[in-house]
Amino acid sequence: MYTINRIASIVDASSVLANKEAAIEYLITDSRKVTFAASSLFFTLKTEHRNALVFLDDLYQQGVRNFVVQEEIDFSKYKDANFLVVKNSLKALQKLAQFHRLQFHYPVMGITGSNGKTIVKEWLNFLLSDSYKIVRSPRSYNSQIGVPLSIWQMNAENDLGIFEAGISERNEMDALRKIIQPTIGILTNIGDAHDKGFESRKQKLQEKLRLFQHSKIVFANADDENIKASIGEVLNTDIFSFGKNKNATLHITAVKKEQNKTVIEGVFENNTLHITIPFLDEASVQNALICWAVALYFKVSESVIMEKMAQLPAIDMRLQVLPAINGCTVINDSYSLDIDSLSVGLDLLNQQLLSKTVILSDVHEAEERTYIQILDILHHKKISRLIAIGKFWESLKPFMGSKIPIIETYNSTFDFVQQFHAGQFKNESILLKGARLFRFEDILNLLVEKVHQTRLEINLSNIVHNFKTYKKRLQPSTKMMAMVKAFAYGSGSVEIASILQYHKIDYLAVAYADEGVELRNAGINLPIMVMNIDEYGFEAMLQHNLEPEIYSFKILKEFTVFVQKQAVAQYPVHLKLDTGMHRLGFEEGEIDRLMDELKVNKSLVIKSVFSHLSSSEDAADDNFTILQAEIFRRCCDKIQNVVHYNFIRHLANSAGIARHPDLQFDMVRLGIGLYGVDTTDKGLALKNVATLKSTIAQIKHLQPNETVGYNRMGKISQPTTTATIRIGYADGYSRKLSNGVGFVLINNHQAPVIGNVCMDMTMVDITHIDNVNEGDEVEVFGVDLPVENIAKWSDTNVYEIFTSVGQRVKRVYVEE
Ligand SMILES: *Cc1c(COP(=O)(O)O)cnc(C)c1O
């Protein structure tokens, strides 16, 4: 246990201390992840784009009293708080973790490499957890911030540490080495990931190996010439090598792929050994070899290795957010249960706006203390209902107190399933988290709505990535409005708005009042601009605090009259200017009259003035864009001359942000880029957000002269195998894709459309693809088949493809 005073001296801080003896248990860098405010120390990290100081008031309100800051601030504002002032908060965090690490003398593994770090860490935990009390990095906490937070979890009760280290640039590894100080080094696969920050693969490899400079032993692949050469150059530690190379410490002599498993034979210390793993892919085989080598080094018995290897779990670090019965959503995180991963699941639950329910199982081999700690965490996270399943929970029931409003216990998953009825759950977010033994998939099946087999998978983490990518291109003071009109370009407006609200976007915009009402009903409290208003929506606008776009004298008059009738003053509105798009808006020649009217209008206040670029993505029209901007600027100046308060000016859409950095004004409006499509040639490295998937309903074998589909448009000239997939033009799969124009991906092979696309189904040619079965999954667009292709083949743009995905196609949300 550290006092704040002790930490001040460890990190060399000058300090302003109200309470020197304050005990610190938790370190936080993210203001949204406070659980135990009183015993938390917040590090205000400063990045190029934001200074965490802005969260201070909020944190103080939440009860946080201990802060590390990088600059002098007005400390008197926060009486009874402790401040440590340092040169660099991140360095201070790392220094503290480094100090903490030195308190422990048990073995610590450091894992680095390009791919597989998290899987190898989780599998090692799985293989060794019967013999050791392991502390390990939560999820993929492997960055300059994640590593110190992981190390902070070490304590005297553990006897083995397993930590990941990830780097994306040169010279980052030394800091991580000093914090982890691995006694055992593990190098996973070296691929091409994160190549950007490095001159060559070799340089990258050498940088990674710096993690192991003071390790006693390093595990590495014997079949990679680069690795062999670099290790010799950089390290002089013992090497435990594995691979087909005859000189490898663990010499692999055979790898046999069977129906759904791989059998691997190897020779270690002159004994021939076998393992079987429940995977077929090469990456899993490589990762299993590493774990096998480590298990042998730790002298795990042959029978335990064999038994555990056969049960290696699939590690999917993505949390799925699924639509469920009666307006509920389920966050499915039933891969494992321990306190660290529980916190990660709870953080995601906190982003949901419905009332919060947690379903938990007993924790493998935990003592009563752990259960009390869990109850405490749930209480602090304001969980409204706990459903606790397992004998241990049941036995604790009389002692649980009333910290959580509703607690229900069940002896077993079976009991829960027996007593389940759908009416028990309504409009709540449910986190489902159980140890594997408890088979929570049975509960999942009861809660989750049966998904029509065609679904649109939305990756929320990638939405955040894209948001940040654009944010980085803005001046720090420039605000951002996200366009969540048209069901957020088909992705689901409530879900997208929730995640953006969590990440503190400034503004949202929708097309119609109804869309805004839906967001308000779901608990979104950001300001919302409504672009297309008419008198029928006024009532709803005022009732839900939605801000209209005023684009004509007619609508100005009507809205003013309505607002006056309600006796409301200074209602915020947005003036839309027509600078050349000629869709909606006031033209330059109308500004004088507009301001004459607004000058005397006490009912409305101009929140922003904006216009829309017609061709921001198109270099050929750059002169026109510049002209639009000039008109916009002139109009804004005119307006500013009349009103004596500030309003927000905004012009640029996604392509405008990318191509015209000088046109950011006070705010930008991000649309298509958020959803992963860059319509410019700026190479923004956005991540794919939407993946449309379907399944195969039937497979047929056809002979020459037979035909496929309506009007017999699919002509068969040689023996052909077709698959009928569950998607048609009613789902948004355009009829223009008929007759070989479009293709889908099956087992990552192209399967062209054969015949005409039908309303609910489409036939594709799979003659050339092996191992296809009815029920198999089909990718219609996504990472491997960019939506731009579908747009091109369908003779339209990606906007239309996204917004045409039918409402009956279920949206499924994933988070990494
Ligand atoms: C839809 C829309 C945007 C967003 O455009 P993208 O090209 O999707 O970035 C911006 N402004 C207005 C007025 C819009 O209607």
Side-chain angles (χ1 to χ4, degrees):
M1 181 77 77
Y2 296 82
T3 61
I4 190 71
N5 200 34
R6 176 110 190 275
I7 291 179
S9 86
I10 294 169
V11 304
D12 238 339
S14 60
S15 49
V16 182
L17 298 180
N19 169 15
K20 282 185 178 199
E21 297 306 315
I24 300 301
E25 277 185 81
Y26 303 92
L27 307 183
I28 14 176
T29 59
D30 184 333
S31 63
R32 297 160 305 196
K33 297 191 176 161
V34 179
T35 307
F36 299 102
S39 53
S40 293
L41 173 60
F42 183 77
F43 286 76
T44 43
L45 299 180
K46 207 168 166 177
T47 67
E48 208 179 320
H49 302 285
R50 83 172 171 196
N51 186 340
L53 271 179
V54 301
F55 303 119
L56 233 55
D57 288 340
D58 180 33
L59 286 157
Y60 188 80
Q61 287 256 306
Q62 291 185 53
V64 179
R65 289 294 178 272
N66 300 287
F67 301 93
V68 174
V69 292
Q70 241 168 262
E71 55 202 89
E72 299 278 336
I73 53 166
D74 180 6
F75 299 118
S76 65
K77 248 176 88 188
Y78 310 95
K79 29 177 195 25
D80 72 354
N82 295 318
F83 285 93
L84 308 188
V85 186
V86 297
K87 274 213 203 66
N88 180 319
S89 309
L90 177 61
K91 293 246 164 67
L93 171 66
Q94 297 182 337
K95 203 162 171 185
L96 177 57
Q98 190 179 335
F99 178 90
H100 185 65
R101 165 69 184 90
L102 284 173
Q103 312 310 306
F104 306 101
H105 303 288
Y106 45 80
V108 167
M109 298 187 206
I111 307 179
T112 195
S114 309
N115 307 309
K117 292 187 286 293
T118 302
I119 294 175
V120 166
K121 179 196 71 192
E122 292 298 315
W123 281 357
L124 285 173
N125 179 59
F126 180 74
L127 289 168
L128 301 172
S129 60
D130 288 349
S131 331
Y132 294 89
K133 294 206 164 61
I134 299 172
V135 50
R136 68 193 202 279
S137 332
R139 302 260 153 190
S140 306
Y141 277 30
N142 61 32
S143 67
Q144 298 288 315
I145 299 170
V147 167
L149 295 180
S150 303
I151 290 289
W152 184 250
Q153 305 191 3
M154 291 178 76
N155 67 48
E157 282 159 35
N158 304 119
D159 52 14
L160 177 63
I162 312 182
F163 299 101
E164 290 179 43
I167 51 169
S168 50
E169 281 170 35
R170 284 200 72 178
N171 305 325
E172 287 187 333
M173 195 53 102
D174 283 341
L176 300 186
R177 181 189 63 239
K178 286 183 197 151
I179 305 167
I180 302 177
Q181 300 172 37
T183 56
I184 298 168
I186 296 173
L187 183 66
T188 68
N189 200 1
I190 291 288
D192 299 323
H194 299 301
D195 255 337
K196 265 202 220 118
F198 301 92
E199 279 159 29
S200 65
R201 197 166 168 270
K202 182 165 176 198
Q203 188 192 58
K204 180 171 66 165
L205 180 58
Q206 296 203 338
E207 174 74 19
K208 288 188 195 263
L209 288 172
R210 298 178 72 87
L211 178 63
F212 309 137
Q213 257 170 15
H214 307 299
S215 303
K216 289 201 190 69
I217 187 155
V218 172
F219 291 81
N221 188 325
D223 299 335
D224 186 320
E225 289 303 323
N226 259 319
I227 293 181
K228 269 200 332 214
S230 296
I231 283 191
E233 276 175 48
V234 181
L235 302 175
N236 59 9
T237 53
D238 286 347
I239 307 292
F240 190 125
S241 59
F242 51 87
K244 299 204 164 118
N245 189 308
K246 280 204 183 55
N247 301 320
T249 321
L250 169 60
H251 173 205
I252 302 304
T253 44
V255 175
K256 270 199 293 289
K257 311 228 164 175
E258 296 180 2
Q259 183 69 20
N260 47 18
K261 56 189 183 193
T262 305
V263 182
I264 308 171
E265 182 189 85
V267 179
F268 175 63
E269 294 178 345
N270 297 325
N271 294 322
T272 299
L273 307 169
H274 292 93
I275 57 169
T276 301
I277 61 169
F279 300 95
L280 284 170
D281 62 289
E282 196 46 39
S284 295
V285 171
Q286 284 304 322
N287 292 332
L289 289 185
I290 299 174
C291 296
W292 193 11
V294 175
L296 289 170
Y297 173 78
F298 273 84
K299 302 202 173 3
V300 179
S301 77
E302 195 181 333
S303 62
V304 170
I305 291 181
M306 277 175 56
E307 183 193 322
K308 292 240 167 189
M309 283 287 181
Q311 299 170 21
L312 284 181
I315 307 289
D316 187 352
M317 281 290 153
R318 304 186 318 171
L319 297 182
Q320 279 185 310
V321 185
L322 304 160
I325 54 170
N326 303 332
C328 296
T329 55
V330 172
I331 298 171
N332 181 28
D333 187 11
S334 41
Y335 150 68
S336 74
L337 174 57
D338 53 56
I339 295 236
D340 305 330
S341 66
L342 176 64
S343 304
V344 178
L346 286 171
D347 284 331
L348 180 56
L349 188 67
N350 257 350
Q351 298 176 32
Q352 309 285 316
L353 301 162
L354 306 168
S355 100
K356 301 174 182 59
T357 297
V358 174
I359 306 183
L360 286 181
S361 71
D362 279 353
V363 186
H364 183 59
E365 292 195 338
E367 295 160 25
E368 193 171 315
R369 233 167 359 122
T370 309
Y371 289 81
I372 303 300
Q373 200 181 350
I374 290 177
L375 287 172
D376 227 26
I377 294 175
L378 297 181
H379 165 65
H380 277 88
K381 292 279 183 190
K382 302 195 172 55
I383 300 306
S384 27
R385 166 149 80 142
L386 166 66
I387 297 174
I389 297 178
K391 293 203 170 57
F392 208 108
W393 279 119
E394 185 105 322
S395 71
L396 277 181
K397 168 104 182 179
F399 314 104
M400 284 203 228
S402 57
K403 281 186 151 183
I404 298 162
I406 306 173
I407 301 183
E408 299 159 31
T409 57
Y410 295 86
N411 223 321
S412 64
T413 306
F414 181 80
D415 281 2
F416 176 86
V417 169
Q418 287 288 305
Q419 293 170 44
F420 174 86
H421 62 95
Q424 288 165 296
F425 296 92
K426 198 157 186 234
N427 296 330
E428 48 205 295
S429 291
I430 305 164
L431 173 65
L432 196 57
K433 190 144 180 60
R436 219 181 335 269
L437 212 63
F438 280 79
R439 294 190 48 83
F440 269 19
E441 51 275 22
D442 295 345
I443 301 178
L444 186 69
N445 284 337
L446 293 174
L447 290 173
V448 172
E449 290 187 316
K450 296 283 167 274
V451 178
H452 165 67
Q453 310 235 14
T454 298
R455 63 193 189 280
L456 188 67
E457 229 177 74
I458 304 294
N459 187 317
L460 294 175
S461 308
N462 290 352
I463 288 266
V464 174
H465 169 90
N466 297 338
F467 162 68
K468 289 185 174 163
T469 302
Y470 281 94
K471 190 91 188 153
K472 279 188 193 147
R473 300 179 81 88
L474 302 180
Q475 301 297 321
S477 63
T478 308
K479 294 184 186 327
M480 178 133 40
M481 172 185 265
M483 309 308 284
V484 292
K485 60 191 178 190
F487 202 46
Y489 291 43
S491 307
S493 30
V494 171
E495 287 76 8
I496 304 299
S498 304
I499 192 114
L500 293 173
Q501 174 161 306
Y502 183 77
H503 286 277
K504 305 223 187 292
I505 197 149
D506 303 286
Y507 244 101
L508 297 175
V510 295
Y512 293 99
D514 289 351
E515 298 177 325
V517 173
E518 195 192 336
L519 293 179
R520 287 284 182 254
N521 286 340
I524 300 293
N525 52 26
L526 288 170
I528 300 176
M529 177 174 92
V530 181
M531 294 192 290
N532 213 321
I533 63 163
D534 61 33
E535 53 193 315
Y536 304 105
F538 290 169
E539 176 75 42
M541 304 265 312
L542 261 66
Q543 200 184 337
H544 291 96
N545 212 356
L546 304 171
E547 304 171 4
E549 161 184 331
I550 302 291
Y551 54 83
S552 71
F553 288 107
K554 178 170 179 288
I555 207 82
L556 173 61
K557 180 145 177 243
E558 289 170 352
F559 191 67
T560 304
V561 169
F562 183 83
V563 171
Q564 275 166 350
K565 264 201 224 140
Q566 314 281 318
V568 171
Q570 306 233 309
Y571 197 84
V573 300
H574 303 264
L575 297 183
K576 175 67 168 294
L577 307 182
D578 181 358
T579 54
M581 174 88 172
H582 297 329
R583 188 166 64 176
L584 294 178
F586 297 99
E587 294 180 21
E588 187 172 15
E590 298 175 314
I591 301 295
D592 288 335
R593 180 183 152 201
L594 175 64
M595 294 321 291
D596 283 345
E597 296 195 8
L598 280 174
K599 211 164 22 186
V600 294
N601 186 328
K602 294 278 173 280
S603 306
L604 309 184
V605 59
I606 303 170
K607 193 77 181 281
S608 88
V609 175
F610 75 108
S611 185
H612 194 40
L613 298 171
S614 69
S615 320
S616 57
E617 72 279 11
D618 192 350
D621 272 323
D622 277 351
N623 284 337
F624 188 72
T625 299
I626 291 165
L627 185 72
Q628 278 195 283
E630 277 169 13
I631 299 174
F632 180 65
R633 219 172 251 130
R634 278 202 303 270
C635 293
C636 285
D637 290 348
K638 257 187 179 169
I639 297 169
Q640 188 68 80
N641 278 336
V642 178
V643 300
H644 297 294
Y645 50 87
N646 288 328
F647 52 82
I648 303 170
R649 302 154 198 239
H650 46 119
L651 180 66
N653 62 345
S654 306
I657 304 170
R659 297 194 59 250
H660 302 284
D662 49 332
L663 300 183
Q664 291 175 7
F665 294 93
D666 308 316
M667 183 158 79
V668 295
R669 299 186 304 273
L670 182 61
I672 195 75
L674 191 56
Y675 308 100
V677 178
D678 179 12
T679 55
T680 73
D681 53 6
K682 288 290 172 191
L684 294 193
L686 302 179
K687 289 193 178 167
N688 184 72
V689 168
T691 304
L692 183 57
K693 288 181 175 168
S694 188
T695 51
I696 297 175
Q698 196 173 24
I699 290 174
K700 291 183 180 295
H701 303 281
L702 305 177
Q703 296 307 319
N705 298 323
E706 292 190 287
T707 61
V708 177
Y710 284 119
N711 308 107
R712 309 185 61 200
M713 290 300 284
K715 308 252 189 288
I716 302 295
S717 56
Q718 56 207 33
T720 297
T721 309
T722 64
T724 302
I725 59 177
R726 296 179 167 104
I727 189 169
Y729 53 77
D731 301 296
Y733 199 66
S734 171
R735 214 162 162 277
K736 292 201 169 137
L737 298 160
S738 300
N739 303 308
V741 173
F743 62 76
V744 298
L745 291 182
I746 298 176
N747 292 348
N748 237 334
H749 290 282
Q750 303 178 357
V753 175
I754 180 164
N756 282 328
V757 171
C758 311
M759 186 186 290
D760 314 300
M761 273 168 280
T762 299
M763 283 69 87
V764 296
D765 186 345
I766 56 165
T767 314
H768 54 292
I769 310 176
D770 295 333
N771 283 330
V772 185
N773 298 302
E774 293 178 353
D776 280 2
E777 198 165 84
V778 175
E779 180 173 323
V780 179
F781 64 71
V783 182
D784 305 308
L785 173 43
V787 65
E788 285 98 325
N789 290 6
I790 310 287
K792 198 165 63 196
W793 301 331
S794 316
D795 233 342
T796 180
N797 60 19
V798 292
Y799 299 78
E800 187 175 345
I801 300 294
F802 279 150
T803 53
S804 308
V805 175
Q807 282 294 331
R808 73 177 178 194
V809 175
K810 274 267 181 294
R811 271 64 175 175
V812 176
Y813 298 88
V814 298
E815 176 123 357
E816 271 155 21

